[in-house]
Amino acid sequence: MSYMIHIEHVTKRFGRAAAVDDATLDLGAGESLALWGANGAGKTTLIRCVLGLLGFRGTIRVGGHDVRRDGKAARLLIGYVPQELGFYDDLTVCEAVAFFSRLKGLPHTDTDRTLATVGLLGHERKRIRELSGGMKQRLALAIALLGDPPVLVLDEVTASLDAVGREEFVNLLAGLSGTGRTLLFASHRIEEVAALSGRVAVLEAGRITRVVPCADFVAETDRGTVLHLFLAPSVRDQAMQSLRVGGFSPHLNGVGILVPVTPERKAAPFRLLAEARIPVDDFEIVSATHARRVAHVPHSASSSPGGNAVPHLAATEVSS
Amino acid sequence: MTSLPTAVTSSPNASAAVRVPPGLLRNVLTVAHRELRDAIRSRWFWLYTLSFAILGLAVSFVSAAGTGGTGLSGFGRTTAGLINLVLLVVPLMALTSGAASIASDRERGMLAYVLAQPVSRLEVVLGKYLGLAGALLACLSLGLGTCALILAWKGLRTSPASILWLTGLSLLLALAMLSLGMLISVLARRASVAVGTAIFVWLALVFLTDLALMAGALALRLRIETLFGLSLVNPLQVFKMWSLHAVDATLDVLGPAGLYAMDTFGDRVAILFAAALVAWIILPLGAAMALFARRSPV
Amino acid sequence: MMPNAVHPASAFAAVLVVATAFAGQADHAAPAPVSGGRSTLPLGPIGMRIAAASPGDTLEIDPGIYREHLRIDKPLTIVARGDVVIDGGGSGDIVEIVAPDVTLRGFVIRNTGIDLDKENAAVRVLAPRVALENNRLEDILFGIDLREAPDCRIVGNRIGGKDLDVARRGDGLRLWRSDRTLVERNTIHDGRDAILWYSSNVVVRGNHGFDCRYGLHLMFSDHITILDNEFAGNSVGIYLMYTTGVELVGNTLVGNRGPSGYGIGLKETDQFSIRDNLIAGNRSGVYIDGSPFTAAKPGEFTRNTFAYNDVGCTFLPSARGNEFTENNFVDNIDQVAVAGRGALDANRFWKGERGNFWSDYTGYDLNNDGVGDFVHESQTLFENLMDKRPALRLFLFSPAQQAVEFVGRAIPAVRPEAKFTDEVPLMRPVALPAAVVERKPAREAIALSGIALVGVGGLLIAAARTSRRTS
C-alpha cells in the first residue's frame, strides 16, 4: 500500500442528504491535495471522516490503518489543524502543548523548539484566551506538528483570520511543503490552493467532480475578476434581482453577493445598485492573479485584498 | 507582530509511522488530569465546596441548637441532617457537571479537536468521568472535612465514623449521578439542553419519584415489600437507607419498610444497597460510552 | 394457681385482664414445680459444711472451684473468701434456699442447665428474708428466682444469661409473690426479663439492665418504686402491666429498640407517677395502652426528657387521662403519635401555667416569662400521614418529606387538625436530673477524620496542579 491516505467509495449521509457522496481519492506520501468547494460542498465532512470523527460507508486508510477499526493508530500519523482552535481557554500555551504531547504518547517534548517553529516563542505562559486568532492557529499548527506526523490535515485553517494573519499562516504552511509530509487540506481560497497544493479535488454537493493538477486549476481560474459585495441581508434578494436584470450572474454566499465581472465592467454593478437605491456596505475585488503572486513571492509583506470567498462557480464561469 | 521564521525546518519523523499510540490507561489519566484541573480551577467547584461546608455547619449547629442546652448528643441527628443536605446538593452538583461535560465540549468544538488526536472515544469518556469524579471527591471531602474540623473545634458532637461513612457514600451517590449526567450529556445536542435536562432529572429524583411513591403508598395501599423494592430504584433513597444503616446499624427508624428490609435481608441489606448504587454507576456510564462510540461527536 | 383480684374495682375486668395476660404471656405461666430436694446426690465440700453447721452459723468458703449443687435448709450466712466458684456443670439448678434468713454473699455461681420447662436457675429462693449480695451469676438460664419469698434483699449481683436465642432464655431475675423485696444495684444482661409477679411494695433501685428482652417487667404487682435504674439496649426498657401504684423516677431508658422498642410501656397500669426520667433513642419513648386504668388518679408525666426517639410518646386510643407537664420533648422524629385513628383529647399537655418544652416550637417569648407567647400546636402534615400509614416512615429524612411539610404549612386546606395543643409551652428545657452525665465523643477523633478528609481533598488538588508535562 503505497498511498498515505486512501479514500474509497466514502459516503456520509446526514439524514437523507449526502454530505459526501461516493468519494474516492488517493494521496501518496509527500503529496499535497486541496479539497476545493463552496460552503456545504462536503470538505469538512470528508476531513472529519478521515479523522474518524464521523461514521461513514466505504473505506478510509491512513498509512494503512483503517480509521474506523484502528483509529488511534491512524490518528497517530495525522497532525490536525481545525478551522479555529477550541480548547480550554485558561490553559497556558505550555500546558496545551504538554497535554497534547502526552495524548500523542511522546516521551518528552522540546516545547521551546516546537513553539519556535511557529513563532510563538516568548508566549509560553500566556493563556489561550489571551492569544490573537493568528497566534491560536499557529499554536494549533505547533500541536499538529508534535511528534512530526507524516500527514497534516488542515480544515479551512485561515477562515477565521484577517488578511495579514492569513498570509502569514499560509507562508508558514508553504514552508512545510516539500518536506515529504503528506498534506490534505480544505480551502475555498485560490491563493492557498495555489501556494500549497499539488492537486486539487473539486467537490460539488458532496461529489468529487474532478481532480486536476494545481497549475491547471489556477490557470483556469485566473481569467477573471469577481466582485464581492457586502450588503445588509434585508436587501440581498432585491440586489440579486437588479443584478440579474442588468446582465450579471450573481451568487449569494454567506456574507454577501459574488458577481463575476469582466475587467472593463467592474463599476457597472455599483451603478445598477445605486439606481435601485440599494446601499452597498463594503466590497472586495477578488483576483486569482493575486493568488499566484502569493505562491511565488511567499515573503511579500504587501497587503493583499484577498476575497472572503470564491466559490468554484465564480472561478470557472468568469470570463476574462 | 511577531516576526515569523523564514522557513519551517521540521520534517516528518519516520519513526512516527512505527510509533505505537499511547495505551488506554495513560490516555484516560491524561484526560482525567486535564478535566480535574479544569474543574478545580472553575468557579462552580469552589462554590459547591464552600456552600457544602457552610450548609453542613449550619445543619450541625441547628441540630445542636434543637437540643436546647440539654447537653444531650444527637444520636446521629447531625448525620441525619447532613444526609438530607447531601441528598439535595450532591446529585445536583454531579448531575449538572456530568451533563455539562461532553455537551459543552462538543459545543466549543473541543471534543472534535481532542478526538482528532490518537485517543479513542472510550478513553475520552472514561477520562472525563474519572477527572470529574476526582473533582467531586475533592469537593465532598473538603466540604465535609472542614465541617468536621469546625465541629471538633466547637466541641459539637457527632460520630467521626458517621462522617467518614457519609463522605464515602456521598461519593458513591455522586458517581452514580455523574454517570447519569454524562449519559444526558452524550444524548443532548446542546450544553444548555443537557443542563436543563439534568436539573429536571434532579427534581424527579429528589422530589417527584418519592412523592409519587408516597401517593402510591397512601392511595394504592402498596405492600411494604413493593414499596421497599420500588424505593431501591431511586439511588437517592438507596443512599439514604445505606447511610442510616451504616450509622445506626439498623433501618427500624424507617418504620415497617425498614423492619421488613432488616427481617428479610439482615445486615446483607448493605450488599443490596451497594449493588443498587454500583448498578447506577455502571449502567448509565456504560450506556453513555456505547452511545458516544456510535454518535457523532461534532 | 388462682388469679388474684388485681383490680378489685372491676371483677369482670380482672378476669379479662388475667385471661389476656395468659393468652399473650404463655411463657410467664406459674413457675414449674420444684423438684423435691437433692438428698440423693452426694454432698460436695460446701454441702457437707452446710450439713454440719447449726442454724445461725456463718460459713466462710475458701477460694476454689466447687462443682456441686447446694441446698440450704437452715438459716446460715455463707460468705465467699476470695474467688469462690460454684459450678453447676450445665445441669439443673445450682443453689436452692429453702430456709428463711439465709445470706449468700460474694460467690460466682455459674453454668446451670438449659431446661426451660424446669426453669433451671442459679439461685432459687423458697423462703422469706433471704439476702443475696454481690454474687456473680454467669452462664445461667434463670438467675435469681424468688418464689413466695417476701422481704428478701437482692443487692449488688451481676447476672449474665447464656448466649441463647431470646425465645430460649430464662429470666435474669424473677419475683413470684415476694412482697417487700429490695432489688438494688444489680446488673442484669442477656436474659429474658427481670420480672415481678404478684409482688407488691417492691423497691427497684439503681439497677442496670441491658441486652435483655424487658429490662424490667411488672405483672400484677402493686405499689412499686422504680428509682434511678438504667435500662439500655433492651427490647423494652420498663414494661408495666396490670399494675396499680408505680413511682417511676430518675431512670435512664436509652436505645431500647427491640421489636416493640419502648422506653417505658404501660398496659392497663393505674395510679402511676413517671418523673425525672431520661428517655432517649428508643423506638417509642413511652407507649401508653389503656393507662391509667381507672379515673382514680391522672397518669402523671413530669420533668421527663423525651429525646431522639423515633416517636416521643405513642398513645393508643385507649390511653386517657394522662397529664404531661414540664417535660422536654427534644427532636423526636415524631414528638407525639396516636396509633390508629384515636385522638388525644382525653390527655393533656399543659396544666395551669405549666406546659412542656418542645424543640419544634416555632413561637417566641416577647415578655420573657419563659412561656411561649403562642400556643404550641402539633400539626405537621407528614407526621399526620405517618400516623395513618406507618409505611411512609420510609421517606423520612428525604427532601420529599420536607416538601410535604412545606405544602402542609403553605396550604391551609391540607393542613391537618392539631394533634394536641400546649397553651403554655416552655421556652427553655427543664433541667435534666444530675444523674445524666454528658458523654463527649472524642473530639480528637472528629478532628482527625476532618483532617483526613481535608487531606484527601488537598491531595487531589495538589495532583491536579502538578503539571504532567512528561511521564
Side-chain angles (χ1 to χ4, degrees):
Chain A
M1 183 91 38
S2 59
Y3 295 120
M4 204 59 189
I5 300 179
H6 173 73
I7 298 171
E8 191 182 332
H9 299 302
V10 167
T11 299
K12 172 66 196 172
R13 291 177 181 280
F14 293 113
R16 303 176 87 188
V20 173
D21 192 358
D22 196 28
T24 297
L25 267 181
D26 283 308
L27 272 81
E31 201 191 341
S32 171
L33 182 127
L35 296 171
W36 175 266
N39 285 338
K43 304 186 298 287
T44 297
T45 303
L46 186 56
I47 280 179
R48 284 176 171 170
C49 289
V50 170
L51 292 168
L53 296 177
L54 293 174
F56 55 87
R57 275 191 307 164
T59 312
I60 300 179
R61 286 178 206 284
V62 176
H65 300 286
D66 186 299
V67 297
R68 274 179 308 193
R69 264 184 286 123
D70 206 2
K72 272 173 77 172
R75 286 193 292 276
L76 189 66
L77 305 177
I78 303 177
Y80 166 64
V81 183
Q83 225 174 75
E84 197 168 2
L85 177 68
F87 201 61
Y88 296 103
D89 270 352
D90 61 349
L91 221 58
T92 63
V93 168
C94 228
E95 287 170 331
V97 170
F99 174 73
F100 285 99
S101 48
R102 276 188 68 78
L103 277 191
K104 289 172 185 235
L106 300 174
H108 60 87
T109 306
D110 187 346
T111 310
D112 285 355
R113 187 176 152 269
T114 308
L115 292 178
T117 311
V118 297
L120 276 180
L121 209 54
H123 299 284
E124 298 93 327
R125 301 268 150 225
K126 275 196 180 151
R127 297 193 187 282
I128 291 181
R129 65 162 168 271
E130 296 162 351
L131 300 181
S132 71
M135 285 157 89
K136 273 189 194 170
Q137 284 307 81
R138 276 186 271 143
L139 175 60
L141 181 62
I143 290 168
L145 290 173
L146 285 170
D148 286 334
V151 178
L152 269 185
V153 173
L154 317 174
D155 186 9
E156 310 209 15
V157 286
T158 59
S160 55
L161 301 183
D162 60 15
V164 177
R166 232 168 16 234
E167 194 172 318
E168 283 174 358
F169 202 75
V170 172
N171 288 343
L172 199 54
L173 289 172
L176 291 173
S177 62
T179 52
R181 223 182 287 273
T182 309
L183 185 65
L184 175 67
F185 70 103
S187 178
H188 50 211
R189 280 176 198 289
I190 191 72
E191 70 271 25
E192 281 169 30
V193 172
L196 303 175
S197 70
R199 283 190 300 157
V200 180
V202 177
L203 275 136
E204 263 177 78
R207 295 191 75 90
I208 296 177
T209 50
R210 60 212 173 94
V211 180
V212 292
C214 179
D216 296 359
F217 183 78
V218 172
E220 232 175 77
T221 55
D222 193 20
R223 278 170 288 156
T225 303
V226 175
L227 209 52
H228 192 180
L229 304 175
F230 298 88
L231 303 106
S234 53
V235 296
R236 276 185 210 159
D237 286 343
Q238 204 191 336
M240 291 286 284
Q241 187 63 31
S242 306
L243 290 168
R244 282 201 196 99
V245 171
F248 292 96
S249 314
H251 306 279
L252 271 177
N253 84 342
V255 287
I257 296 175
L258 295 161
V259 193
V261 290
T262 51
E264 59 276 16
R265 288 196 68 196
K266 285 203 284 283
F270 294 98
R271 202 169 51 239
L272 279 171
L273 293 176
E275 281 165 7
R277 298 188 175 280
I278 297 169
V280 177
D281 297 340
D282 199 359
F283 75 98
E284 284 180 346
I285 295 170
V286 185
S287 153
T289 325
H290 166 72
R292 210 159 39 195
R293 192 165 54 81
V294 169
H296 294 313
V297 194
H299 308 130
S300 159
S302 66
S303 68
S304 58
N308 229 27
V310 183
H312 73 277
L313 282 173
T316 48
E317 287 171 14
V318 161
S319 57
S320 51
Chain B
M1 205 73 219
T2 328
S3 66
L4 287 172
T6 49
V8 177
T9 49
S10 69
S11 62
N13 188 341
S15 68
V18 291
R19 231 172 52 217
V20 184
L24 179 119
L25 187 65
R26 182 177 153 130
N27 274 347
V28 167
L29 287 178
T30 305
V31 176
H33 180 255
R34 179 72 268 131
E35 195 70 22
L36 176 64
R37 187 162 197 181
D38 192 53
I40 280 171
R41 276 182 183 172
S42 70
R43 244 169 290 138
W44 69 258
F45 173 81
W46 293 106
L47 197 73
Y48 271 123
T49 305
L50 194 70
S51 57
F52 211 72
I54 289 175
L55 288 171
L57 281 172
V59 165
S60 309
F61 278 96
V62 165
S63 31
T67 65
T70 51
L72 286 168
S73 79
F75 286 92
R77 196 55 34 141
T78 308
T79 318
L82 287 175
I83 286 174
N84 215 319
L85 174 70
V86 167
L87 280 175
L88 275 174
V89 177
V90 170
L92 183 64
M93 186 165 84
L95 273 169
T96 49
S97 57
S101 63
I102 291 176
S104 72
D105 279 9
R106 183 189 288 133
E107 219 167 72
R108 283 190 278 173
M110 203 152 100
L111 198 57
Y113 188 48
V114 170
L115 286 172
Q117 314 301 325
V119 293
S120 69
R121 298 186 187 188
L122 179 82
E123 288 162 0
V124 170
V125 173
L126 275 181
K128 282 189 157 294
Y129 186 82
L130 199 65
L132 285 174
L136 290 171
L137 174 61
C139 177
L140 285 173
S141 51
L142 281 181
L144 285 170
T146 312
C147 191
L149 281 178
I150 295 180
L151 287 183
W153 174 46
K154 287 283 173 194
L156 279 182
R157 306 137 158 261
T158 187
S159 119
S162 66
I163 283 205
L164 294 178
W165 263 111
L166 195 65
T167 312
L169 295 181
S170 301
L171 177 67
L172 283 183
L173 179 66
L175 290 180
M177 293 296 98
L178 187 60
S179 249
L180 200 55
M182 293 204 80
L183 178 58
I184 294 169
S185 201
V186 166
L187 286 170
R189 279 276 130 208
R190 299 173 54 81
S192 54
V193 174
V195 173
T197 311
I199 289 174
F200 177 77
V201 169
W202 173 77
L203 268 178
L205 288 174
V206 170
F207 294 110
L208 302 183
T209 52
D210 277 7
L211 289 174
L213 269 186
M214 275 189 213
L218 281 171
L220 306 175
R221 309 210 145 243
L222 288 177
R223 292 187 313 163
I224 290 297
E225 47 272 48
T226 317
L227 198 60
F228 178 71
L230 286 174
S231 71
L232 280 181
V233 176
N234 185 343
L236 274 64
Q237 277 282 359
V238 173
F239 161 80
K240 184 193 82 184
M241 292 191 281
W242 195 359
S243 304
L244 288 173
H245 185 258
V247 173
D248 257 10
T250 173
L251 288 175
D252 55 12
V253 70
L254 295 179
L259 286 176
Y260 160 79
M262 291 309 291
D263 286 350
T264 314
F265 304 103
D267 281 338
R268 277 171 305 153
V269 80
I271 300 173
L272 196 65
F273 296 149
L277 274 190
V278 168
W280 268 103
I281 294 171
I282 290 177
L283 294 181
L285 185 62
M289 289 192 298
L291 280 167
F292 190 61
R294 234 168 267 154
R295 291 167 69 100
S296 141
V298 287
Chain C
M1 64 114 231
M2 283 293 295
N4 247 12
V6 187
H7 291 282
S10 163
F12 175 71
V15 170
L16 214 130
V17 159
V18 173
T20 324
F22 283 162
Q25 307 284 336
D27 52 347
H28 274 309
V34 176
S35 50
R38 298 197 181 277
S39 48
T40 51
L41 287 170
L43 291 177
I46 305 177
M48 286 196 281
R49 289 192 60 187
I50 292 171
S54 313
D57 281 1
T58 295
L59 305 181
E60 296 198 348
I61 310 296
D62 291 327
I65 297 176
Y66 299 84
R67 299 180 197 283
E68 58 180 304
H69 299 256
L70 302 181
R71 184 163 196 270
I72 304 170
D73 52 3
K74 53 191 84 161
L76 295 171
T77 298
I78 309 178
V79 183
R81 287 176 50 210
D83 291 335
V84 182
V85 177
I86 306 175
D87 192 318
S91 72
D93 305 329
I94 301 174
V95 178
E96 187 178 44
I97 300 172
V98 297
D101 299 304
V102 169
T103 297
L104 193 65
R105 187 182 304 141
F107 288 90
V108 175
I109 303 170
R110 71 182 189 203
N111 206 1
T112 66
I114 55 161
D115 190 334
L116 207 50
D117 291 336
K118 291 193 175 142
E119 300 182 344
N120 296 152
V123 181
R124 173 154 293 127
V125 181
L126 302 168
R129 297 185 303 282
V130 168
L132 302 172
E133 294 170 7
N134 301 336
N135 299 291
R136 209 161 82 224
L137 278 51
E138 295 171 346
D139 200 16
I140 46 96
L141 189 66
F142 279 63
I144 296 173
D145 184 19
L146 271 55
R147 298 191 183 175
E148 306 195 22
D151 301 299
C152 289
R153 289 166 45 83
I154 315 292
V155 178
N157 301 287
R158 185 178 178 93
I159 304 170
K162 284 178 182 287
D163 185 18
L164 289 171
D165 190 65
V166 168
R168 297 173 57 213
R169 287 184 188 173
D171 296 325
L173 172 67
R174 179 167 69 180
L175 275 63
W176 176 272
R177 290 185 193 281
S178 301
D179 295 348
R180 296 177 301 282
T181 291
L182 173 67
V183 178
E184 193 173 55
R185 293 198 321 274
N186 300 286
T187 298
I188 305 176
H189 62 92
D190 294 298
R192 187 168 62 189
D193 301 350
I195 184 165
L196 276 56
W197 284 91
Y198 306 108
S199 302
S200 295
N201 299 97
V202 171
V203 173
V204 180
R205 184 164 54 207
N207 299 283
H208 182 201
F210 58 94
D211 293 339
C212 296
R213 190 182 69 162
Y214 296 168
L216 178 64
H217 189 185
L218 269 55
M219 292 291 282
F220 307 105
S221 296
D222 298 340
H223 310 294
I224 307 295
T225 304
I226 304 169
L227 266 180
D228 300 334
N229 301 284
E230 179 179 344
F231 296 107
N234 305 287
S235 172
V236 170
I238 301 177
Y239 215 146
L240 312 176
M241 291 185 180
Y242 320 111
T243 289
T244 300
V246 178
E247 290 276 308
L248 206 158
V249 181
N251 300 283
T252 300
L253 301 145
V254 177
N256 298 293
R257 306 190 60 91
S260 316
Y262 313 140
I264 304 171
L266 296 101
K267 185 169 176 61
E268 299 184 16
T269 292
D270 207 25
Q271 299 174 31
F272 54 87
S273 171
I274 296 178
R275 303 189 307 269
D276 297 309
N277 299 288
L278 171 65
I279 305 163
N282 306 288
R283 189 170 296 169
S284 180
V286 167
Y287 177 87
I288 309 176
D289 175 10
S291 304
F293 192 63
T294 70
K297 178 176 176 284
E300 185 192 352
F301 288 88
T302 305
R303 287 187 307 277
N304 300 290
T305 293
F306 299 83
Y308 315 119
N309 302 289
D310 295 2
V311 180
C313 190
T314 307
F315 290 79
L316 289 195
S318 57
R320 313 173 62 83
N322 294 288
E323 289 180 356
F324 286 76
T325 51
E326 298 182 64
N327 298 286
N328 302 318
F329 283 85
V330 179
D331 275 2
N332 301 288
I333 294 168
D334 203 347
Q335 302 267 41
V336 172
V338 190
R341 299 203 170 271
L344 283 169
D345 308 351
N347 300 281
R348 304 195 62 185
F349 290 88
W350 57 283
K351 192 177 175 186
E353 288 304 306
R354 296 186 305 158
N356 299 278
F357 171 78
W358 306 93
S359 60
D360 55 338
Y361 178 59
T362 49
Y364 44 82
D365 179 21
L366 279 185
N367 56 0
N368 259 325
D369 61 353
V371 172
D373 295 348
F374 294 100
V375 170
H376 175 67
E377 289 192 322
S378 169
Q379 51 176 173
T380 79
L381 182 53
F382 193 77
E383 248 181 53
N384 183 277
L385 293 173
M386 222 159 53
D387 289 355
K388 279 189 197 133
R389 295 281 296 160
L392 291 184
R393 298 185 75 87
L394 181 58
F395 300 100
L396 277 171
F397 312 119
S398 68
Q401 174 204 352
Q402 278 148 346
V404 170
E405 300 285 26
F406 177 77
V407 167
R409 272 195 298 276
I411 307 173
V414 298
R415 193 181 297 161
E417 249 178 72
K419 225 188 282 183
F420 64 88
T421 56
D422 181 344
E423 305 234 337
V424 282
L426 302 175
M427 291 307 292
R428 311 210 135 273
V430 179
L432 288 179
V436 179
V437 198
E438 198 176 337
R439 259 173 298 175
K440 285 215 175 202
R443 175 188 278 201
E444 294 74 17
I446 302 173
L448 268 181
S449 57
I451 289 169
L453 288 177
V454 171
V456 168
L459 273 180
L460 277 164
I461 288 177
R465 290 188 171 274
T466 327
S467 66
R468 305 185 60 156
R469 201 163 307 171
T470 54
S471 59

